Amino acid sequence: MRRNLTQYLTTTFALADDQVREGLERFLNHEEQGIFRGPYLRIRTPFRKVPGGWRSPLEFMPDGPAPYVHQAKAFERLSTLGKAAEPTLITTGTGSGKTESFLYPVLDHCRRERKQGKAGVKAILLYPMNALATDQAKRLSDYLSQAGLGDVTAGLYIGDTPDTEYPRVETRRATIRRERPDILITNYKMLDLLLQRADDLPLWKDADLAYIVVDEFHTYDGAQGTDVAMLLRRLAAATGHSRPGKPL
């Protein structure tokens, strides 16, 4: 295997000088500085669970195992029970339940607001790609099918109407505009259009945004990051959440 990999690399560079080519081979196969090192053992320690006696700051949580410590901290910051949600950045390893860290507080908030008879969009889940948005729609539909969330609504608004239908997530654009779901799943390009087109203006009636979730946050870098930052400022202005003289 080492011989084949070395041959592949030296062929890729196609060095005509025999001495230079042999020097490259020696470099690649050097015992300390070459490319063949290890083997290495990677040990991934388990995520910490909340201690016994932990009490949730949420009035409602979907059925599931006890949360991790980082999830519990996110619940405390994002809960709107008696306070406003706090800006929160969640960055942990794969399989650590980042989605649940923000989704549970969102569901809890929407459930409480619905009981008080408040309509309008309350949370926006923003994704960089349609594939991620549709995956979240499936997960959210499963959660909304649980007892206690019957009044909470959600809509998936992306470039094309998905072929897949979700029992508890609306995908028809006209219905989404008319019914103004509590939770709106979309991407940043479509959100840009939703703030411009006259046909989409009814969607923002009575909107009271408690959450704007920017998932896969690390993908918004450079010029794209600036575009999304300005988009969120426009969203704040359109929904009455802008603060004159202060950054979003």
Side-chain angles (χ1 to χ4, degrees), residues 81-116:
L81 186 59
K83 66 177 186 63
E86 302 174 60
T88 303
L89 181 64
I90 302 170
T91 169
T92 59
T94 301
S96 62
K98 290 186 288 293
T99 297
E100 287 73 15
S101 296
F102 66 79
L103 193 55
Y104 286 5
V106 168
L107 293 172
D108 177 62
H109 172 78
C110 293
R111 176 178 177 269
R112 187 162 45 252
E113 293 289 288
R114 272 290 183 177
K115 282 188 173 182
Q116 297 176 8

Side-chain angles (χ1 to χ4, degrees), residues 33-136:
Q33 300 177 354
I35 63 173
F36 302 106
R37 306 181 189 181
Y40 296 102
L41 175 63
R42 179 181 180 182
I43 300 177
R44 177 175 293 177
T45 57
F47 299 102
R48 289 183 299 156
K49 293 277 190 178
V50 293
W54 175 79
R55 297 185 61 182
S56 174
L58 308 176
E59 287 185 314
F60 174 85
M61 284 182 58
D63 297 333
Y68 296 120
V69 170
H70 64 269
Q71 290 179 313
K73 291 180 178 179
F75 296 161
E76 292 173 2
R77 292 183 60 85
L78 294 174
S79 173
T80 58
L81 186 59
K83 66 177 186 63
E86 302 174 60
T88 303
L89 181 64
I90 302 170
T91 169
T92 59
T94 301
S96 62
K98 290 186 288 293
T99 297
E100 287 73 15
S101 296
F102 66 79
L103 193 55
Y104 286 5
V106 168
L107 293 172
D108 177 62
H109 172 78
C110 293
R111 176 178 177 269
R112 187 162 45 252
E113 293 289 288
R114 272 290 183 177
K115 282 188 173 182
Q116 297 176 8
K118 296 181 180 180
V121 179
K122 302 169 183 63
I124 295 178
L125 311 186
L126 203 62
Y127 290 88
M129 295 181 294
N130 285 347
L132 295 173
T134 54
D135 180 70
Q136 184 64 273

Side-chain angles (χ1 to χ4, degrees), residues 6 16 28 62 67 80 83 90 112 139 160 181-183 191 200-202 209 231:
T6 302
L28 294 175
T80 58
K83 66 177 186 63
I90 302 170
R112 187 162 45 252
R139 183 183 303 193
D160 298 318
D182 300 307
I183 304 171
L191 180 59
D200 294 318
L201 292 181
L209 296 178
L231 173 63

